[in-house]
Amino acid sequence: MAAQQENPTVSISPLLSKLLRQSTADIKSHDWATADDIAAAITLIFTNELDPDQRASLLTILHALKRDRETLVLAKCGQAMRKAAAQVDQKALRKIIRSRGRKEGSYRGGCCDLVGTGGDGWSTFNVSTTASIVASSLLLISKHGNRASSSTSGSADLLQAIRPRAPVIEAVNAEVLPSVYEKSNYAFLFAPTFHPGMRHVAATRKKLPFRTLFNLLGPLANPIEGNIEARIVGVPKHELGLTFAEALKENKARKGMVVCGDELLDEISCAGRTRCWRLVERPNPAFRGPRDEEDEDFTTSDEEGEPRSITNIEHFTLEPSDFGLQPHPLSDVSPGKLPKENAAKLIQLLRNELPRDDPILDFVLLNTAALFVVAGICDSDTSDMGHGDDGKVIQETGPGGLRWKEGVRRARWAVESGQALASLERYIEASHAATGQ
């Protein structure tokens, strides 16, 4: 008897037929391919149960019909990707978050992420990765990222190019992540480590002449989603802004902001206007769980039970002047250099060796400040960050009624006090300790 195939293929021909019939005017509701149908097929990719030809056909049809840019499809496929990921002990992680997270303003001490979809074509300096490191001086950061896909230097490339000692990004896996947070406010969640099933679609993606659904899912697939308190997500097209905000809301995210620069930049632009879609957290009267954050059952989870809060989406625009900064053309921060050069600039910035009006510094301050604001730390009317903090909170508000200039004040302190550099060094040490050597 022939040996049974380890991963037998599953045919999704019925789903592909449904998708192809979508364009007909008289389509019946029972013939419509739902977001759940699509997510179920995507799950087969992670388990390597889908024929390569059908894999390519699925991604091609989703792209052609623009189904891969629908709110529910993105939300459901993000859920499927997280379910297929290496699983973190969320309870152990929450325990460490409760003990180490620094609560201030409306920030409850949970993990935060700052991430873009990529694909904007600008290939700027690694601003989101650098800003996430600076932000880790005051916030717990779970930076989800990968190597470069469409730029010259991805977040993983940047970190691995740090000298004289780079972090061991592959060593920080689901098993050791809680112990990393015992030592560090920062952790880089390397996508290939946490999403091993993605290797099954890598060859297909390379052969297709367009950006697929998977180029959009990264910001929705953080492996510790249930412990993410706040995030900023950059998208490269304005029409994706509300879609992503609604997808985050569908996944029960409570705090966050989706951003797109007017130049179709997936960051907050240092050059001019940025469109923003902010998820605003409000108390949920239906919540029946513990109110006391010291309660053993208290959790920052977005995914378990009735949430503590409900979320609305507000739209506004931001400009560098709202942060108290001068604009800089994108040519001053792009094209991005090779990882080695960007890593040298990162260390120079963290050592406070750049001029106070340096374009890259301002670019990083803008994006760090925004995460501080969205996390809620700038809501505090007092400030005691540590040495070098004069305690003078900037209470002036701007778009959305928020304290963007206070965010910059705190971001500057993180750089000038050396706390941002110290936070990176603690993460590097924790990553090496995770190797067991």
Side-chain angles (χ1 to χ4, degrees), residues 59 63 68-69 116-121 149-151 205 208-216 236-237 266:
L59 295 177
H63 182 76
D68 57 1
R69 281 148 280 179
T117 63
D120 61 16
S149 172
S150 57
S151 64
R205 292 174 66 190
L208 295 175
F210 52 84
R211 290 172 61 81
T212 72
L213 170 68
F214 291 108
N215 293 97
L216 298 176
K237 295 181 180 180
D266 69 336

Side-chain angles (χ1 to χ4, degrees), residues 216-253:
L216 298 176
L217 284 184
L220 300 172
N222 192 303
I224 63 162
E225 175 68 23
N227 280 295
I228 297 294
E229 178 177 342
R231 76 200 79 203
I232 289 182
V233 175
V235 295
K237 295 181 180 180
H238 298 147
E239 58 265 30
L240 288 173
L242 182 58
T243 298
F244 261 78
E246 290 176 337
L248 288 171
K249 181 179 177 180
E250 180 69 25
N251 282 343
K252 299 183 181 179

Side-chain angles (χ1 to χ4, degrees), residues 169-409:
I169 62 173
E170 298 92 342
V172 179
N173 56 34
E175 183 179 354
V176 306
L177 185 61
S179 65
V180 169
Y181 278 116
E182 289 180 337
K183 307 176 183 72
S184 168
N185 274 12
Y186 190 87
F188 182 74
L189 279 55
F190 186 39
T193 298
F194 284 85
H195 298 286
M198 284 293 294
R199 70 184 185 276
H200 302 308
V201 74
T204 301
R205 292 174 66 190
K206 287 180 180 178
K207 292 177 182 177
L208 295 175
F210 52 84
R211 290 172 61 81
T212 72
L213 170 68
F214 291 108
N215 293 97
L216 298 176
L217 284 184
L220 300 172
N222 192 303
I224 63 162
E225 175 68 23
N227 280 295
I228 297 294
E229 178 177 342
R231 76 200 79 203
I232 289 182
V233 175
V235 295
K237 295 181 180 180
H238 298 147
E239 58 265 30
L240 288 173
L242 182 58
T243 298
F244 261 78
E246 290 176 337
L248 288 171
K249 181 179 177 180
E250 180 69 25
N251 282 343
K252 299 183 181 179
R254 300 168 302 174
K255 293 182 189 175
M257 191 164 73
V258 181
V259 300
C260 182
D262 265 8
E263 310 86 358
L264 304 183
L265 180 73
D266 69 336
E267 317 277 3
I268 295 178
S269 176
C270 62
R273 190 174 69 164
T274 297
R275 303 186 191 191
C276 307
W277 295 262
R278 179 180 172 233
L279 281 68
V280 183
E281 185 182 34
R282 307 292 186 201
N284 182 6
F287 176 66
R288 295 293 179 266
R291 302 285 175 176
D292 185 359
E293 296 190 13
E294 300 304 319
D295 190 288
E296 177 63 27
D297 292 327
F298 183 88
T299 171
T300 58
S301 174
D302 291 332
E303 297 186 318
E304 297 178 8
E306 192 70 36
R308 283 176 175 71
S309 58
I310 54 179
T311 305
N312 299 320
I313 298 172
E314 297 180 355
H315 177 255
F316 52 83
T317 61
L318 286 170
E319 307 229 10
S321 59
D322 295 316
F323 295 85
L325 299 172
Q326 294 296 314
H328 301 279
L330 289 186
S331 59
D332 286 352
V333 295
S334 61
K337 309 294 184 182
L338 294 174
K340 181 179 179 181
E341 297 170 282
N342 282 356
K345 181 67 73 172
L346 163 68
I347 297 302
Q348 194 179 5
L349 184 152
L350 295 178
R351 287 176 176 165
N352 194 29
E353 295 173 352
L354 298 181
R356 279 179 64 89
D357 60 350
D358 182 89
I360 287 178
L361 175 60
D362 280 357
F363 197 15
V364 170
L365 293 177
L366 284 170
N367 285 273
T368 306
L371 185 57
F372 282 159
V373 169
V374 169
I377 203 167
C378 296
D379 295 338
S380 176
D381 290 331
T382 62
S383 177
D384 185 17
M385 294 182 287
H387 179 73
D389 178 15
D390 62 11
K392 296 178 180 178
V393 174
I394 301 175
Q395 299 192 12
E396 177 185 344
T397 60
L402 300 168
R403 297 174 175 177
W404 307 104
K405 292 179 181 178
E406 171 63 7
V408 170
R409 186 188 75 86

Side-chain angles (χ1 to χ4, degrees), residues 45 74 131:
I45 292 177
L74 287 168

